[in-house]
């Protein structure tokens, strides 16, 4: 698989890690961005005066003051129940996502570039999904290997020929972006099933403004509070035709799910009932919600559980989480499911490698956001390249998420490389490889003061009749020095993402 990147302009980082105006004292006096692009101190030349103002304010804070505010923020997040669950950690059922007070900032030109790229990608993904579940022209024309799609574990035969409202399959999308050492945005992954994390975007903003009102004062930012309203509106737009006041619900697996806090949060923000499978029932191929006043029709379901568990009649017969008969009601057009069933095939890491071709095929446009160069190990040349350069690459299983099961070659021991080499040879179709991107960094409060830590960005897009992108997104930060793994399940934290309003 070739490299589909194309040129984007971006500011050049300072070679030494020193910004031209590094202060001689204060929090930033010892801060160095190394050879990485820094989101705060090296975000353009000349530096936007509002970013410079923020840096001056932060720099003037005593370290003990910043630590006290960080402790206050952490306590508030815990008291508010803003937690997640790490399944592999039996000692910590509920844990707050570590929050770093130093925000990450995007200027308007940067944001407009990201927003346009995400919208383009979502549009192409929805066209791709319609095509593979109908005419399959993209396969007939050889744009992407047929087996990679129809042989994909997430390809759903039950979706063949089904027309979803508005042709929208991915109503909620999370696109994982990184920036390289030149400041260029690159797409690392698409998340088109049930992307999580948007609740932290909103709560991080609230926490920042509560704990550091003096730092944010007078800096005009794009708001993030309308996400729930936008999502509820989009899901109403794609409800079955002929329904004047559609009932939207959020379907959760329940309290033991790692993202249960987010399910509660989003239902509240949307103003819709939070339900579990046992709260819903189907009659005559229609879906109803049990209430104290009897059965109430349901028209749109924002589901936060995987396809396999949605309907024991259609998928996993042992599932106690889903709703028997839901897929029959769906296929009759009596209820909308968001995201649609079978979208997992579009965010597969092997299919991701073909996204530039998919965008060009459906939209006749160059990708606004480039992919990271990707080698598909199912292809002989991709496997050979990966095995020959294992110590230089990041290798990922195509069906995993959350940072599980990957290998970061430069950080691996000889034994780990040898073990992974065997895994690749045994099951090459399960892996892709990518070069190690020198992720951008952001100043982060650490034991010794402000240090650089690597970050990524997950913007969230909501699609009903059209697509809206929440300004900013979730900035995840790798809290361990030198680590490139930002996932919350792997010890990462988050930051507030500011988009300057003008």
């Amino acid at each position: 698989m070739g490299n589909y990147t194309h040129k984007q302009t971006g500011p050049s980082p300072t070679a030494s890690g020193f910004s031209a105006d590094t202060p001689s004292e204060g929090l930033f006096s010892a801060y160095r961005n190394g050879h990485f692009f820094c989101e705060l101190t090296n975000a353009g030349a000349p530096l936007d005066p509002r970013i410079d103002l923020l840096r001056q304010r932060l720099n003037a804070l005593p370290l003990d003051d910043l630590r006290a505010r960080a402790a206050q923020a952490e306590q508030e997040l815990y008291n508010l129940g803003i937690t997640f669950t790490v399944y592999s950690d039996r000692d910590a059922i509920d844990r707050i996502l570590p929050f770093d007070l130093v925000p990450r900032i995007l200027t308007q030109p940067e944001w407009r570039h990201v927003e346009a790229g995400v919208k383009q990608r979502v549009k192409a993904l929805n066209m791709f999904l319609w095509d593979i579940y109908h005419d399959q022209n993209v396969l007939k024309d050889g744009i992407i290997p047929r087996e990679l799609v129809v042989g994909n574990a997430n390809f759903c035969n039950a979706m063949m020929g089904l027309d979803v409202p508005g042709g929208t399959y991915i109503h909620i999308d999370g696109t994982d972006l990184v920036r390289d050492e030149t400041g260029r945005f690159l797409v690392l992954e698409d998340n088109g099933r049930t992307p999580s994390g948007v609740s932290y975007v909103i709560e991080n903003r609230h926490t920042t403004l509560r704990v550091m009102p003096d730092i944010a004062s007078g800096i005009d930012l794009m708001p993030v509070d309308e996400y729930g309203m936008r999502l509820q509106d989009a899901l109403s737009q794609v409800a079955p035709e002929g329904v004047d006041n559609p009932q939207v619900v959020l379907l959760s697996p329940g309290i033991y799910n790692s993202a249960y806090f987010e399910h509660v949060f989003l239902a509240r923000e949307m103003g819709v009932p939070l339900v579990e499978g046992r709260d819903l029932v189907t009659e005559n191929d229609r879906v109803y919600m049990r209430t104290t006043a009897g059965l109430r029709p349901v028209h749109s379901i924002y589901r936060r559980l995987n396809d396999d568990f949605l309907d024991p009649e259609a998928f996993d017969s042992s599932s106690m989480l889903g709703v028997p008969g839901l897929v029959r009601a769906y296929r009759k057009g009596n209820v909308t499911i968001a995201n649609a069933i079978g979208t997992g095939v579009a965010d597969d890491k092997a299919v991701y490698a073909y996204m530039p071709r998919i965008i060009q095929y459906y939209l006749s446009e160059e990708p606004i956001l480039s992919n990271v160069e990707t080698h598909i190990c199912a292809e002989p040349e991709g496997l050979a390249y990966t095995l020959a350069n294992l110590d230089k690459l990041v290798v990922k299983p195509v069906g995993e998420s959350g940072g599980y099961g990957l290998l970061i070659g430069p950080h691996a021991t000889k034994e780990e490389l040898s073990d992974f080499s065997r895994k690749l040879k045994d099951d090459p179709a399960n892996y892709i490889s990518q070069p190690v991107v020198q992720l951008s960094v952001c100043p982060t409060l650490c034991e010794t003061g402000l240090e650089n830590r690597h970050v990524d960005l997950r913007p969230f897009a909501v699609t009903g009749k059209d697509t809206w992108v929440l300004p900013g997104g979730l900035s995840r930060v790798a809290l361990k020095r030198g680590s490139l793994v930002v996932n919350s399940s792997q010890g990462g934290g988050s930051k507030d993402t500011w988009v300057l309003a003008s």
Side-chain angles (χ1 to χ4, degrees):
M1 194 68 201
N3 183 354
Y4 284 99
T5 59
H6 71 273
K7 286 186 177 180
Q8 298 176 29
T9 57
S12 298
T14 53
S16 65
F18 288 81
S19 295
D21 54 351
T22 297
S24 58
E25 58 184 19
L27 281 179
F28 280 90
S29 61
Y31 176 78
R32 304 290 181 268
N33 59 290
H35 60 283
F36 307 109
F37 180 83
C38 178
E39 299 286 345
L40 194 60
T41 64
N42 202 0
L47 194 63
D48 186 288
R50 292 159 294 183
I51 299 176
D52 193 39
L53 174 62
L54 169 73
R55 192 172 58 154
Q56 290 179 32
R57 288 174 173 175
L58 286 169
N59 192 58
L61 282 180
L63 182 57
D64 287 346
D65 187 335
L66 188 59
R67 289 198 190 285
R69 296 182 192 222
Q72 180 187 348
E74 186 172 298
Q75 188 61 51
E76 286 193 11
L77 291 171
Y78 190 81
N79 291 343
L80 290 169
I82 303 169
T83 59
F84 72 104
T85 304
V86 179
Y87 290 129
S88 59
D89 188 349
R90 295 182 179 180
D91 297 327
I93 294 177
D94 290 314
R95 174 185 295 182
I96 64 166
L97 181 66
F99 173 61
D100 185 76
L101 278 177
V102 181
R104 182 241 196 99
I105 301 184
L106 298 173
T107 63
Q108 264 296 308
E110 288 174 322
W111 174 244
R112 285 196 295 270
H113 175 70
V114 168
E115 181 184 43
V118 169
K119 285 184 176 181
Q120 181 194 54
R121 207 158 175 107
V122 170
K123 186 176 182 180
L125 283 168
N126 277 313
M127 294 176 77
F128 170 69
L129 284 162
W130 189 94
D131 190 13
I132 63 171
Y133 287 123
H134 289 81
D135 301 333
Q136 300 191 336
N137 289 324
V138 73
L139 309 183
K140 295 171 185 171
D141 290 339
I143 304 302
I144 182 171
R146 173 177 292 275
E147 186 55 28
L148 201 60
V149 175
V150 300
N152 190 293
N154 294 303
F155 184 83
C156 182
N157 285 312
M159 292 297 292
M160 287 300 298
L162 177 63
D163 289 319
V164 296
T168 301
Y169 290 79
I170 299 178
H171 308 83
I172 303 98
D173 173 82
T175 306
D176 286 351
L177 304 176
V178 296
R179 298 179 85 170
D180 65 13
E181 64 274 16
T182 70
R184 182 179 55 162
F185 286 100
L186 299 168
V187 179
L188 195 62
E189 289 184 13
D190 298 292
N191 295 281
R193 281 175 273 185
T194 54
S196 62
V198 72
S199 58
Y200 298 107
V201 177
I202 299 164
E203 288 295 356
N204 286 352
R205 176 63 52 79
H206 293 166
T207 302
T208 299
L209 297 182
R210 279 197 301 268
V211 175
M212 301 209 300
D214 50 333
I215 301 299
S217 176
I219 300 177
D220 196 12
L221 306 177
M222 294 188 74
V224 297
D225 284 329
E226 60 182 318
Y227 182 84
M229 180 193 69
R230 291 273 192 170
L231 180 55
Q232 198 277 340
D233 188 47
L235 296 185
S236 295
Q237 291 174 10
V238 295
E241 290 186 7
V243 180
D244 291 333
N245 187 22
Q247 175 67 63
V248 179
V249 300
L250 192 153
L251 175 60
S252 168
I255 192 170
Y256 295 108
N257 185 268
S258 64
Y260 186 69
F261 156 73
E262 180 154 293
H263 304 167
V264 175
F265 177 90
L266 287 174
R268 187 178 68 230
E269 292 285 308
M270 297 165 67
V272 305
L274 175 67
V275 300
E276 298 180 22
R278 60 191 174 186
D279 299 318
L280 301 180
V281 63
T282 58
E283 288 187 1
N284 299 320
D285 297 333
R286 295 183 183 277
V287 181
Y288 297 88
M289 173 174 53
R290 292 187 173 97
T291 75
T292 54
L295 296 180
R296 183 191 301 175
V298 170
H299 307 102
S300 288
I301 299 175
Y302 177 25
R303 52 79 173 246
R304 293 296 297 254
L305 63 165
N306 294 336
D307 291 355
D308 288 347
F309 303 112
L310 271 177
D311 181 351
E313 288 185 4
F315 303 117
D316 187 344
S317 60
S318 67
S319 172
M320 303 291 286
L321 302 175
V323 185
L326 178 59
V327 171
R328 277 190 283 108
Y330 185 47
R331 288 194 58 84
K332 289 287 181 68
N334 292 328
V335 68
T336 296
I337 297 175
N339 287 341
I341 297 169
T343 58
V345 66
D347 73 8
D348 182 275
K349 291 181 177 62
V351 173
Y352 152 91
Y354 291 87
M355 274 306 296
R357 288 186 189 177
I358 289 170
I359 290 170
Q360 290 164 348
Y361 181 72
Y362 292 113
L363 303 178
S364 300
E365 298 173 359
E366 288 294 320
I368 295 171
L369 296 169
S370 297
N371 269 21
V372 175
E373 178 184 357
T374 300
H375 308 276
I376 299 176
C377 298
E379 299 175 349
E381 63 271 26
L383 176 62
Y385 181 86
T386 301
L387 289 172
N389 296 277
L390 200 54
D391 60 337
K392 306 178 186 68
L393 298 170
V394 177
V395 188
K396 302 175 180 177
V398 295
E400 293 282 354
S401 60
Y404 293 105
L406 60 77
L407 174 86
I408 300 179
H411 296 177
T413 64
K414 287 185 178 179
E415 185 179 8
E416 288 170 335
L417 291 172
S418 178
D419 288 345
F420 223 92
S421 178
R422 281 194 292 273
K423 288 182 183 178
L424 278 168
K425 292 173 182 172
D426 289 344
D427 188 12
N430 191 40
Y431 295 95
I432 61 156
S433 68
Q434 297 171 327
V436 178
V437 178
Q438 300 300 319
L439 304 189
S440 61
V441 295
C442 196
T444 302
L445 180 59
C446 301
E447 287 188 8
T448 60
L450 292 184
E451 296 183 13
N452 72 57
R453 291 292 185 270
H454 293 292
V455 293
D456 77 348
L457 178 67
R458 175 179 289 181
F460 291 89
V462 174
T463 302
K465 291 181 178 177
D466 50 25
T467 297
W468 170 79
V469 188
L470 175 68
L474 179 64
S475 286
R476 299 182 297 181
V477 53
L479 295 175
K480 296 177 183 175
R481 180 181 294 169
S483 173
L484 297 171
V485 183
V486 299
N487 305 75
S488 57
S489 55
Q490 306 291 309
S494 70
K495 286 175 168 288
D496 189 9
T497 308
W498 292 5
V499 178
L500 297 176
S502 59

